[in-house]
Amino acid sequence: MLKSKTFVKKTRSGGVLKIVREHYLRDDIWCGSEVCTECKDDSPVLQRDAFIQSRLCTYPHYLIPDTNVVLHQIDILEDPVMRNVVILQTVLQEVRHRSAPVYKRIKDAIHEKEKHFYTFTNEHHRETFVEREQGESANDRNDRAIRVAALWYNQHLRKAPCAGELRVVLLTNDQANKEKATEDGLLAYRCEEYIKSLIGNPELVDRLALTSNEQNEITGGRVLFPEHLPLSRIQTGIKNGTFLQGTFRANRDNYLEATVFVHGEGEDGTEVLLQGLQNLNRAVHQDIVAVELFPRERWAAPSAAVLEDDHANDEDAEEEEAEKLESPALETSMLKPTGRVVGIIKRNWRPFCGMLTQSQIKEATRHLFTPADRHIPRIRIETRQASALVGHRIIVAIDGWPRNSRYPNGHFVRNLGGAGDKETETEVLLLEHDVPHQPFSKAVLSFLPRMPWAITEEDLKVRADLRHLCVCSVDPPGCTDIDDALHCRELDNGNLEVGVHIADVSHFIRPGNALDQEAANRGTTVYLCGKRIDMVPELLSSDLCSLRSNVDRLAFSCVWEMNRNAEIIRTHFTKSVINSKASLTYAEAQMRIDDATMNDDITNSLRGLNALAKILKGRRIEKGALTLSSPEVRFHMDSETHDPIDLQTKELKDTNSMVEEFMLLANISVAQKIYEEFSECALLRKHPAPPLSNYDILVKAAKSRDLEIHTDSAKALADSLNAAVLGGFPYFNTLLRILATRCMMQAIYFCSGMDSDFRHYGLASPIYTHFTSPIRRYSDIIVHRLLAVAINADGTYPDLMDKHKQSTLCNNLNYRHKMAQYAQRASVAFHTQLFFKNKGILNEEGFILFVRKNAIIILIAKFGLEGTVFFKNKGKPGPKLSFDSEGPSLTVEDQHTFHMFDKVKVTVTLDASNIQHQKIRMALVEPVIAGVSVAWPEPAAKKPKLDR
């Protein structure tokens, strides 16, 4: 049966376009139930025995949720208890338009066989399709379509001879929809009503999201916040310049302050300062908001106060706001535009990890949840299991934030485990940094090669056979995902042939399939302490793609002919087959190079590579490449408990630099090739030059030691850093380079057709990309595909040549890369806390890295550990302080002045008083300042052994 829809559409030029859409209705769309004999469905999804124990429904039943139930109660629907659910096409389409995250979650539930969720295509079934009536809203039409489909199911299943008492239950929170469904003879319940009737699953009640009416019921009557303007007024205001649109960024150190970043043209933007709860007006970190600017006379400077929201109830903060945010009179240049949030354009709510603060009221069910992320306000939830959740990490979702509530309302989602537990804390940091870490789905795994896998004759016909070459890999100890291998040999003409051979991951991951989509979403492998979250399944990352020794592997090779001065004569790219002769660690490779008695092919290859690498590095530095420093640590783990038992900074050898130089050279060579072939859609990587103001602290630090740092170019900075040496203070130059690293901008991926500035500032290279790590970076897979097309080794596909899609992909890769870095730092911080947990008080020497108004920040070089010595704490009297911002320097009690890079002695302990935010605490020992310094603790005396 064929129906058609006709409507007219106005074109940009002012014309009218008539559009006719055909809509096919069918009789062969099955109900999906095992009890049905009428439908010819070979693999029904809905079970015959669809029994969930319920006081309302004491008989087998299927559930049909309406759109709002799916949108707002997805946490309930994902629970294993909820089975045999019919998701109507009408509902699925509405959810898809209104919330992409919920749509993905409901689709995942439908694909989970154990849940028995069935999609019924009611919009194309002849008996369930409904046309929109004249004067009927789209929402009312969809509600009617849901009721018609539910009624059809009831009548259809009654015809089945073995249906028994099987019924269909409609779940809706819309009172009008519920009443109409009851009039039609349907069983209809509110979601809350049905969930509370379930027997033996009381924890599900905690997961119920509050509706708007319920939120107003549980909050007080006093209006605390201004009303948000409707979207239509906001859009009009943005168009005429009354309002500005931007991203809300909460201040993690001051709950009464935030900024809104208003995007300008290119990378420019404006920050609007918001102060006070009413002006923040219920916006949450990363929401897209509309702000109204205040007149210039109301502009202010950011508050220097550190304020945590630790009030016990709703209203006791407002009176103190003005006093807390008071700041001294400042120069006009320090004032920032101020304003207030008038409306929310797009919420950025996600499930939040944190801990429950149990109410002091006996048998209370409403409690405050404190998120781990300090940018997020506390959330009020209703739960009957508070005593069991105290001391645990839990996940909570926000349901809404009414005007009469000091905090947003939310609901409990799930319990992650005890706070401080290693597995729990790892799960928290992965969730908080949005790292995809779920097991790979069956759909993804289905695209892996079948085992046993081997290189075929067809592969050898289209690849260069380089298995005769003396190729080896050099990596950190324990590395199993080996991306790269190298070789160097002398040619008959006296020149050298150098090859960088990279795992050919793109051979196994074909464009557009589920495996490719998953890798693109993950973007990068995430390396935590003692754990790795792979971008691709382990069969590829640690086996078939990994360039392990003494096995044939597929590679993408970049081969240069060089003279002895490391000058490139010829560059050649080819798909290849290699057989690595050795998988070495950096230390093993260094030992071979240094051992004069070793003269085998592998060792000679390494020596040739090392000699060329030193020339290449010298040439890069001469051009202005920066050699920066960042203290990296390595944990030595207990083999049984996997707890850290030792903590050391990583020692870098010549072989680290050797591998790095050839990876850089390969990346530059490939960047040049793909840009030459595809000027509009090459995926490149750039490192923007920092604004000169970023260098202020570096310049001041050097000046305090009578040294000058030039920052007008990368070359000038590199030369200044090389010359900045102090006699008798060998670590000074490293400290300067650590500080210079903090001044840098983040390197980013971009599409060549969407940008004009390609330069990589840190490497002093006019063009750069990532080619050498496709096992752990998706960017490299795209670059491999571009290079393969450029050398006619593979075919192209539309998305590869679409600069807009490439740019969107780059945005995701930049986000995933940034989150992976943050997750890695969080993992190091957690394992550092574990290390110090049982160490008691340690006494260490350190250097002052930064000087603040009331504190100094110390770097303990041997641990790569930073900590803060506070001279004034909140609510406690402190010593007399005098801060000089020009130095910068801090004078304490007129007895001692601290400068950057001064050597000090401190005690180091773990402060576990706040179980959610444990900290490394440092206290000053030397220099000795009366009333400030602590005594250097004596080592604990050994207890005398008792006579037996």
Side-chain angles (χ1 to χ4, degrees), residues 645-661:
I645 53 175
D646 195 13
L647 174 61
Q648 296 173 341
T649 49
K650 291 180 182 176
E651 183 186 350
L652 298 180
K653 302 181 181 295
D654 280 354
T655 44
N656 290 79
S657 179
M658 175 190 81
V659 173
E660 181 186 15
E661 285 307 315

Side-chain angles (χ1 to χ4, degrees), residues 749-770:
Y749 298 108
F750 69 101
C751 177
S752 58
M754 305 291 282
D755 209 327
S756 56
D757 178 18
F758 295 4
R759 188 165 179 78
H760 196 294
Y761 179 80
L763 297 174
S765 177
I767 193 166
Y768 191 68
T769 193
H770 271 163

Side-chain angles (χ1 to χ4, degrees), residues 286-306:
Q286 296 295 341
D287 282 352
I288 306 298
V289 300
V291 289
E292 180 182 45
L293 282 182
F294 290 149
R296 188 175 286 268
E297 56 267 23
R298 290 184 63 181
W299 288 12
S303 169
V306 175

